[in-house]
């Protein structure tokens, strides 16, 4: 997937959450979107090295 498409989808999701649930929920979604890939990669690395 192209990086710009992912950024556009993430922006759309955050705007929808902001409109529906408020700014705090949008910040929570943004934080989860930043942490989740790192956690998944770390989990796979730990799984492969164990």
């Amino acid at each position: 997937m192209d990086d710009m498409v992912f950024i556009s989808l993430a922006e759309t999701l955050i705007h929808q959450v902001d409109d529906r649930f408020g700014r705090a929920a949008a910040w929570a979604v943004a934080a989860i979107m930043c942490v989740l890939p790192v956690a998944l990669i770390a989990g796979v690395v730990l799984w492969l090295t164990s």
Side-chain angles (χ1 to χ4, degrees), residues 1-38:
M1 186 184 311
D2 189 28
D3 291 343
M4 294 303 293
V5 174
F6 176 74
I7 292 170
S8 177
L9 290 173
E11 182 180 12
T12 302
L13 176 65
I14 290 172
H15 280 297
Q16 288 180 351
V17 171
D18 188 21
D19 291 342
R20 188 172 287 184
F21 300 109
R23 186 62 46 96
W27 276 103
V29 168
I32 290 169
M33 290 174 67
C34 290
V35 171
L36 188 61
V38 174

